Amino acid sequence: MIVKGDRVDAVGRRREIEPLITDDCKIIDAGRRVVMPGFVDAHTHPVFAGIRANEFEQRASGATYREIAARGGGIRSTVRATRNASLSDLVKAGKRYAEWFLRNGTTTVEAKSGYGLTIEDELKILRAIKQLNEETPLKYVPTFLGAHDIPSEYKSRRQTYVSLVINEMLPRVAEEKLAEYCDVFCEEGVFTTDESWQILSAARCQGLGLRVHADQLSLSGGAKLAAELNAATADHLEHTDAAGIAALKAAQVQPVLLPGSVYALDSSNYPAARAMIDAGLAVVLATDFNPGSSPTPSMPMVLSLACTQMKMMPAEAITAVTINAAYSLGRGDEIGSLEKGKRADFVVHDASDYRELAYFFGVEHPHSVYAGGRIAFSRSAPGR
Ligand code: NIG
Ligand code: FE
């Protein structure tokens, strides 16, 4: 492969590439290792304050995610911490997580707001995402998730909060160009399909693309709603039935599957990846990195779960975290594969067979990571 500036200039066999090498080329010898496009993580919540190790411990002693949320923990506890944090606190925490993504081979993340739930706090998170995009080698695609939960102060005035999202938050986010997509947590006890429809329709009018947290904890109709609205993606889908899968296919909505959250919540309801692939859907896999249901930035972990728990082939799983994910973010021509003209986001993995990425789990595979043609992470241990 030849890289010029931040772009791939040529890809081919040694005999095709060697004649193109000029004196000013710097040669990177991958040493017979696997070279692959940087992972594109199309569903993350990477900007928040505080952690929830206490809830993790409560779940280890039998409490469920929903019980913890019902007593004011869960998303609401991260909202309290995030409201109390400054923009620079959030950027500082975000940089730590950006490093984790990069060292695991991820070069682009979709990044949701959603732990502010007031206009100023949602804007603060989106501004932190913008700053992280500028100040780290990781690329961020911002998504507004003001409808991540009903904040406790609006518990008895749900419609007032929905109106606030539609009439105040969305226009500000669009005006300041702080997001490309809008997402809603459509779920029993969170936002109903009707409320989700109102918010997502308004977002579309503001020029935003649509993504939906759908059918995660119950079959709440999120997949069908995503299809009705021709959303870019329907995410989670642990409880989606055959009718939901057919609706996604008919509307060309891409499923984004998040096995890390199924694993971390100790559920056995992995989404029906095989049925979705058989239906002809371009399945995406992502980490869902967040402090509650999926505290992992590791795509290799997701690849392992996809193959062991969802019976995806390693090649299907790798496709789902590269080119399919890129298309789901409207960047199919820019990232997700190593082709002439695309951004030179690539990873040299310390592996000799691509299947090792899913097979050896709990391992950080990258030997070196390049973002836009520049080194973004390298293992410096001697002998590597
Ligand atoms: O995708 N489902 C809603 N949102 C996140 C969880 C966020 C949290 O627990 O903080 C998810 O799983
Ligand atoms: Fe999520």
Side-chain angles (χ1 to χ4, degrees), residues 133-279:
N133 187 52
E134 285 159 5
E135 295 178 4
T136 74
L138 189 62
K139 284 284 153 220
Y140 290 74
V141 180
T143 294
F144 169 62
L145 178 57
H148 195 192
D149 203 354
I150 304 270
S152 40
E153 63 275 21
Y154 285 92
K155 234 178 181 169
S156 55
R157 299 176 291 143
R158 308 176 56 86
Q159 189 56 42
T160 314
Y161 186 68
V162 172
S163 303
L164 182 76
V165 171
I166 293 175
N167 299 322
E168 293 180 41
M169 295 190 193
L170 269 170
R172 274 292 287 285
V173 168
E175 185 185 78
E176 297 193 29
K177 296 197 177 6
L178 284 169
E180 288 183 33
Y181 291 92
C182 177
D183 190 346
V184 172
F185 188 9
C186 178
E187 183 65 57
E188 241 171 55
V190 194
F191 292 90
T192 64
T193 46
D194 184 51
E195 290 162 344
S196 304
W197 187 90
Q198 293 175 43
I199 295 164
L200 293 167
S201 307
R204 153 151 323 130
C205 293
Q206 297 283 350
L208 299 179
L210 310 181
R211 314 181 86 81
V212 191
H213 276 74
D215 302 334
Q216 178 186 10
L217 307 171
S218 62
L219 177 52
S220 47
K224 278 194 180 154
L225 177 76
E228 235 174 78
L229 288 165
N230 281 103
T233 65
D235 303 41
H236 278 289
L237 308 177
E238 285 87 327
H239 291 85
T240 304
D241 58 7
I245 293 174
L248 294 178
K249 172 64 184 162
Q252 300 287 346
V253 178
Q254 281 189 264
V256 180
L257 309 183
L258 309 164
S261 66
V262 182
Y263 168 77
L265 294 182
D266 185 28
S267 155
S268 48
N269 274 313
Y270 285 91
R274 285 254 61 92
M276 294 178 197
I277 292 170
D278 291 347

Side-chain angles (χ1 to χ4, degrees), residues 304-347:
S304 167
L305 290 170
C307 297
T308 60
Q309 308 300 305
M310 293 151 68
K311 304 298 173 212
M312 289 175 73
M313 297 295 107
E316 290 170 333
I318 288 166
T319 303
V321 300
T322 52
I323 192 69
N324 287 3
Y327 273 100
S328 86
L329 292 170
R331 283 162 168 74
D333 295 335
E334 177 72 7
I335 52 175
S337 61
L338 298 175
E339 291 176 81
K340 184 177 167 66
K342 284 195 168 185
R343 234 178 97 82
D345 289 351
F346 62 96
V347 183

Side-chain angles (χ1 to χ4, degrees), residues 9 15 65 111 187 207 229 248 287 292 301 320:
D9 194 50
R15 65 169 187 275
Y65 183 69
E187 183 65 57
L229 288 165
L248 294 178
T287 62
M301 179 68 193

Side-chain angles (χ1 to χ4, degrees), residues 80-153:
R80 287 190 290 276
T82 305
R83 285 179 178 176
N84 283 328
S86 66
L87 174 66
S88 70
D89 295 337
L90 294 179
V91 170
K92 187 166 173 234
K95 284 188 175 170
R96 176 172 182 235
Y97 305 133
E99 222 253 356
W100 291 357
F101 281 111
L102 288 164
R103 65 185 299 135
N104 279 285
T106 296
T107 47
T108 299
V109 295
E110 180 262 12
K112 303 174 194 298
S113 67
Y115 291 116
L117 312 185
T118 67
I119 184 155
E120 283 313 321
D121 292 306
E122 286 296 306
L123 293 173
K124 177 176 73 183
I125 295 168
L126 291 169
R127 288 184 185 123
I129 293 170
K130 188 172 178 207
Q131 200 173 327
L132 288 163
N133 187 52
E134 285 159 5
E135 295 178 4
T136 74
L138 189 62
K139 284 284 153 220
Y140 290 74
V141 180
T143 294
F144 169 62
L145 178 57
H148 195 192
D149 203 354
I150 304 270
S152 40
E153 63 275 21

Side-chain angles (χ1 to χ4, degrees), residues 3-4 11 20 66 78 179 185 212 262 300 339 364 368:
V3 172
K4 269 199 189 143
V11 185
L20 305 174
R66 279 180 140 176
T78 299
F185 188 9
V212 191
V262 182
E339 291 176 81
E364 286 183 359
S368 45

